Amino acid sequence: MIRWLALPVLLVLSVGTAGAIDARAPLADAQKQERYERMIREIRCLVCQNEPIADSNAPLASDLRREVRERIEAGHTDAEILSFLTARYGDFVLYRPPFTPRTWLLWLAPGLLLLIGGWVFWRVISSRAGKPIDRDWVDPAEDASK
Amino acid sequence: MWRFVLVPAAFIVLLGFFLVGLFRDPTLVPSPLINQPAPAFELPQLLEPERTLGLADLATGEPVLLNVWATWCVGCRQEHGLLVDLARRGEIPIYGLNWKDDNEAAIHWLQRLGDPYVSTAVDADGRVAIDWGVYGAPETFLLDGQGIIRYKHIGPLTEDIWQREFRPRIAALQQGRS
């Protein structure tokens, strides 16, 4: 019963908040509106830190949306707007922080982990090289396709 | 067989990360404005709306505090007694920035709980607060006499924080000047 209700209820709730977030009319210039919508997804709300300002109901998020909107209307570039925000709130406001000595571990960790995984994989493979193949083993996928 | 070394080593490194993470407050975002000139502003005063309060009023040659507060902010209520106390002890001039608040409620608050501020500026639409990198009241900035931000505390002030974080910095500023 609950499961049947969950999806419609969630959908209705999400429509409600989506409407409430940005009550203001879209920017006249469609290209600017598109930039605005993209930028507010890139900026973190500092009150509720796991939300971009596009999704947050916090008063600060709405003030920051206004700031972004006005700056886009005034003809500022994306880089100018982001540097305005990072000068005041630090790199933490950006969902994609710049590559600096403080963040290199953050950026390089996935590649590093992949290298470590690859190295482990190679070690396992090479340690088994030259050992006899188990002829009785059947690939289940191949077996099913027959 | 050095998998017996590597696996525990990786585990200990991970444990170290988690241990450090336990003692950090992720809601505190360090301000990039420390040791930077404070952003200029000019806002009407709460009690005398025909007059303004600006950055020039805060750069008097003496260290001052700028306290960001609002009547909707619970932490501000917590620290208010201490601010009144600091003002009475004459420790440092305190200026207020009333952030996105209702003027009447703010005036009533000061009448009821005491007014520790030399003067309070009204930031009704929150623009100055954004300029100062404010994200959650209460926040307290320590400015040197030249209008440069020297320290910022996020969250309610306590006597303990005052003694530990503010007193030595104020003393150093006063010493550096004379």
Side-chain angles (χ1 to χ4, degrees):
Chain A
M1 184 62 191
I2 298 276
R3 213 183 299 171
W4 285 102
L5 276 175
L7 187 64
V9 166
L10 277 176
L11 280 175
V12 168
L13 284 177
S14 65
V15 167
T17 53
I21 286 286
D22 227 339
R24 301 177 61 175
L27 292 156
D29 183 342
Q31 210 178 346
K32 284 183 171 175
Q33 175 66 19
E34 193 250 320
R35 268 180 66 207
Y36 168 71
E37 280 168 14
R38 184 168 42 77
M39 284 200 80
I40 60 175
R41 309 223 136 262
E42 298 268 315
I43 299 163
R44 187 193 303 272
C45 171
L46 290 114
V47 183
C48 21
Q49 298 184 342
N50 290 323
E51 275 183 323
I53 60 171
D55 293 339
S56 176
N57 262 323
L60 179 68
S62 114
D63 285 0
L64 288 172
R65 285 197 298 272
R66 179 193 64 205
E67 246 4 92
V68 171
R69 191 189 167 94
E70 287 176 356
R71 269 152 217 280
I72 287 177
E73 270 181 323
H76 293 224
T77 65
D78 291 6
E80 277 168 351
I81 296 170
L82 293 181
S83 76
F84 167 85
L85 289 170
T86 49
R88 282 153 187 81
Y89 291 104
D91 291 341
F92 189 71
V93 286
L94 306 178
Y95 267 106
R96 280 187 291 178
F99 189 76
T100 62
R102 275 172 55 97
T103 56
W104 68 261
L105 188 63
L106 184 69
W107 279 106
L108 297 181
L112 225 56
L113 291 175
L114 191 67
L115 280 180
I116 293 170
W119 177 78
V120 169
F121 179 72
W122 178 79
R123 295 261 317 172
V124 170
I125 293 293
S126 56
S127 73
R128 291 186 187 172
K131 288 186 182 167
I133 297 168
D134 183 357
R135 301 252 173 224
D136 293 337
W137 187 82
V138 181
D139 185 349
E142 217 169 79
D143 199 39
S145 67
K146 274 176 195 168
Chain B
M1 277 321 284
W2 44 309
R3 82 172 59 172
F4 296 110
V5 181
L6 269 183
V7 173
F11 177 72
I12 285 166
V13 167
L14 204 61
L15 208 66
F17 273 111
F18 290 155
L19 201 67
V20 170
L22 263 187
F23 297 102
R24 290 181 50 159
D25 183 351
T27 62
L28 293 184
V29 182
S31 173
L33 288 169
I34 306 298
N35 292 326
Q36 300 288 323
F41 69 96
E42 196 76 49
L43 289 172
Q45 295 187 13
L46 179 64
L47 300 179
E48 295 171 85
E50 65 284 354
R51 296 179 57 198
T52 63
L53 180 72
L55 183 60
D57 301 305
L58 271 56
T60 55
E62 290 283 323
V64 298
L65 293 187
L66 181 75
N67 176 247
V68 182
W69 66 282
T71 56
W72 46 259
C73 143
V74 180
C76 302
R77 179 67 185 82
Q78 282 171 17
E79 69 172 9
H80 197 80
L82 177 65
L83 292 177
V84 172
D85 217 37
L86 292 175
R88 200 178 43 227
R89 298 195 314 231
E91 295 229 11
I92 189 168
I94 307 171
Y95 291 84
L97 184 71
N98 188 228
W99 184 34
K100 288 174 79 80
D101 203 354
D102 176 65
N103 273 0
E104 245 173 79
I107 292 169
H108 182 65
W109 160 295
L110 293 182
Q111 283 168 348
R112 196 162 47 94
L113 302 170
D115 183 356
Y117 305 110
V118 180
S119 174
T120 294
V122 178
D123 186 18
D125 57 8
R127 281 172 204 274
V128 171
I130 286 182
D131 231 11
W132 282 64
V134 169
Y135 67 91
E139 290 190 12
T140 306
F141 293 86
L142 171 66
L143 282 79
D144 67 6
Q146 282 69 50
I148 294 175
I149 296 172
R150 292 301 179 188
Y151 185 67
K152 168 180 168 177
H153 178 74
I154 298 159
L157 285 178
T158 61
E159 185 68 43
D160 185 47
I161 291 165
W162 179 256
Q163 299 292 350
R164 199 177 56 230
E165 305 291 347
F166 282 85
R167 267 281 185 72
R169 287 184 169 89
I170 294 167
L173 286 175
Q174 283 167 339
Q175 217 158 37
R177 195 170 38 82
S178 56

